[in-house]
Amino acid sequence: MEHVARSRMTTRILPIDRSHIYNVSFDRRDCSLDSFHSSLREGLTKTHLKTAAERLLNSDVPVAFPTETVYGLGAIATKSPAVQGIFKVKGRPVDNPLIVHVCSLQQLRQLLQPTSTLATTDATPDPIPNVYKSLIKKFWPGPLTILLSCPENSELAPEVHPGLKTFSVRIPNDPLALTLIQLSGPIAAPSANASTRPSTTTAQHVKDDLEGKVEIILDGGPCAVGLESTVVDGLSNPPCILRPGGISLQQIRQCEGWEGVIAGYDDQSKTVPKAPGMKYRHYSPKASVILYEAGSSGPIMEDARKVGVIRTMRWESQVRGDAGPIKDNLIPIPARSLKDTHWEVWLGNDVESIARGLFAALRRLDDQGIDAIHVEGIPETDDLAATIMNRLRKAATRLAPANKPTPRLLVLQPPSIAKPAGETEPVIEHQLEERTRS
């Protein structure tokens, strides 16, 4: 095994022209995504994809690549030393399971068949449980991950599902990712960020976190969804959602056999995680994050130093003059002292824009050396909004409930906020525990 952490390596961003990936199709026998096909035009895109596949097959250093959700840090799912490399590069707790990415149901069935019985016939029972068939038909390829039982003599590296008798898998909805998997085989991949940091939605985000630790980052542009996949467990009764994500609870309930699905992610901090995102602190920038529940007034900027604000639906801009719409753009708020500058990001009024830009906004404010980031929460009127708030609560250092006195930012020493004499201190629901690596 190559020693990933022994010395810094040269990190290359390899651009991919998506128009050079064509004839993208599935063999949908019985609508079952049995096999995947794509073609590559001659040129740098083909060279870069084949280079990445070769590194996956012949090296134990992970490769970063985009999916429709976030960028992933991938290794061949059956190569134990390579999968160990993911944990070393990220600084990820070894009991935090990974998601396996496949490009077809044929690949998945091969993982589910014991190594001693790989030869199958038309009479062989389908190893994919029937409970998942309606979800697969409707949502794959896409941001939905399912939980499956590991077969005896599983070919998967044990680090993929540490201490568990189950593993998580999905088919991504991204021709680049699918083609890479087609060239290399099933890939185990968490998000391509340093542990506890916000997930990465661009190649530059990956480089910011992992430069010198990986050799190749495939650059396919910004991710379309911006939030990780939904993880579901159909092996339990009733079936449950282990992690909210790109597919909503209401969408899942429309599928046969899933009408009674429940949310199973409310309090998982002390349990053995069945899937990523269940136990550890996630999505946190270096700065302290103060999350204001929907309906809270925004902070009053008075001589605070290095403060960032992420606005969504209701807070007014504190930029002097008419700033106009600012979607996913970073602008300085005019300082109210001689020394300090405040920064503001507006993600827009709709939940799709907020989801797409959330991780990027946290990272961009972090790049300014911000001490604390104040985030305007949104009403959980639908499942996507609830997913956004789930991510923000995991990132937050403090939660500020709605309808409490607005804090005045005088001298900020994260995570405590000083207040003027005589002013009522805002009630904080709870102080989250010290960040745990994820």
Side-chain angles (χ1 to χ4, degrees), residues 121-140:
T121 67
D122 290 339
T124 303
D126 191 348
I128 301 173
N130 287 331
V131 67
Y132 290 119
K133 298 295 177 65
S134 60
L135 296 184
I136 289 171
K137 183 176 181 179
K138 187 168 185 178
F139 298 121
W140 276 10

Side-chain angles (χ1 to χ4, degrees), residues 284-347:
S284 304
K286 298 172 185 176
S288 296
V289 174
I290 297 91
L291 172 62
Y292 295 72
E293 296 290 347
S296 300
S297 299
I300 297 173
M301 298 297 183
E302 291 185 356
D303 299 326
R305 48 187 190 82
K306 299 254 184 208
V307 174
V309 175
I310 296 178
R311 295 193 297 117
T312 55
M313 296 180 173
R314 296 184 62 233
W315 287 0
E316 293 183 1
S317 174
Q318 300 197 42
V319 177
R320 292 173 182 168
D322 182 10
I326 312 158
K327 291 209 175 183
D328 197 18
N329 287 324
L330 184 67
I331 62 170
I333 301 174
R336 283 153 171 86
S337 71
L338 294 176
K339 299 179 181 179
D340 303 316
T341 299
H342 312 308
W343 298 84
E344 177 178 301
V345 178
W346 179 41
L347 296 180

